């Protein structure tokens, strides 16, 4: 089963890919962060990513992001993250001024079906 990833974008070009291969991953400036962004606008423990098995489909995982009380915010598609938010394929995630695209390897029609049931 392919793993979801965050692709860091620089001028709309993928600069780095981060595979989301743990149940819980920290994004932040701290050297022990799973996805480290060494820049002053990023908090030490800026945001948390959680990868969970989908309740309905065996080969599908859901990825959630939560802002961890950061100074400059966490955004999905230019909207501030408030609480725990599920990421959808091709969502644009912004950590302070750093931009990522969320990529999950799933058939788009299957995704629509799976989340209609969950709504």
């Amino acid at each position: 089963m392919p793993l979801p990833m965050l692709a860091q974008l620089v001028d709309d070009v993928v600069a780095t890919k981060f595979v989301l291969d743990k149940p819980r991953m920290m994004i932040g400036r701290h050297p022990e962060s799973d996805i480290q962004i060494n820049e002053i606008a990023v908090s030490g423990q800026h945001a948390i990513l959680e990868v969970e098995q989908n309740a309905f489909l065996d080969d599908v995982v859901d990825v959630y992001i939560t802002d961890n009380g950061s100074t400059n915010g966490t955004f999905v598609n230019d909207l501030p993250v408030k609480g725990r938010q599920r990421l959808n394929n091709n969502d644009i995630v912004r950590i302070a001024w750093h931009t990522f695209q969320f990529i999950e390897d799933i058939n788009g029609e299957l995704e629509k079906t799976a989340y209609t049931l969950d709504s």
Side-chain angles (χ1 to χ4, degrees):
M1 169 173 64
L3 294 171
M5 71 177 67
L6 280 183
Q8 187 170 16
L9 303 175
V10 176
D11 296 328
D12 294 327
V13 176
V14 174
T16 309
K17 293 179 183 176
F18 298 96
V19 176
L20 307 181
D21 58 357
K22 297 179 188 174
R24 182 178 165 99
M25 298 179 73
M26 181 66 66
I27 302 173
R29 193 176 69 242
H30 193 277
E32 293 181 12
S33 293
D34 298 290
I35 299 175
Q36 185 186 13
I37 306 170
N38 192 13
E39 203 253 300
I40 195 70
V42 177
S43 297
Q45 297 181 340
H46 197 101
I48 300 165
L49 291 167
E50 294 172 290
V51 181
E52 298 178 359
Q53 177 63 46
N54 180 277
F56 303 104
L57 301 170
D58 290 338
D59 292 336
V60 176
V61 294
D62 295 325
V63 178
Y64 297 89
I65 191 164
T66 306
D67 184 79
N68 200 36
S70 69
T71 302
N72 290 310
T74 301
F75 300 83
V76 174
N77 300 325
D78 290 325
L79 298 173
V81 171
K82 298 192 184 299
R84 187 174 187 246
Q85 181 174 334
R86 188 175 66 80
L87 295 176
N88 295 304
N89 193 41
N90 293 321
D91 276 349
I92 300 298
V93 176
R94 186 164 52 84
I95 304 291
W97 294 282
H98 297 268
T99 304
F100 300 83
Q101 182 174 10
F102 175 68
I103 300 168
E104 61 183 346
D105 196 347
I106 185 171
N107 178 308
E109 197 58 40
L110 179 62
E111 180 182 25
K112 289 178 197 167
T113 303
Y115 293 106
T116 300
L117 295 172
D118 194 24
S119 298

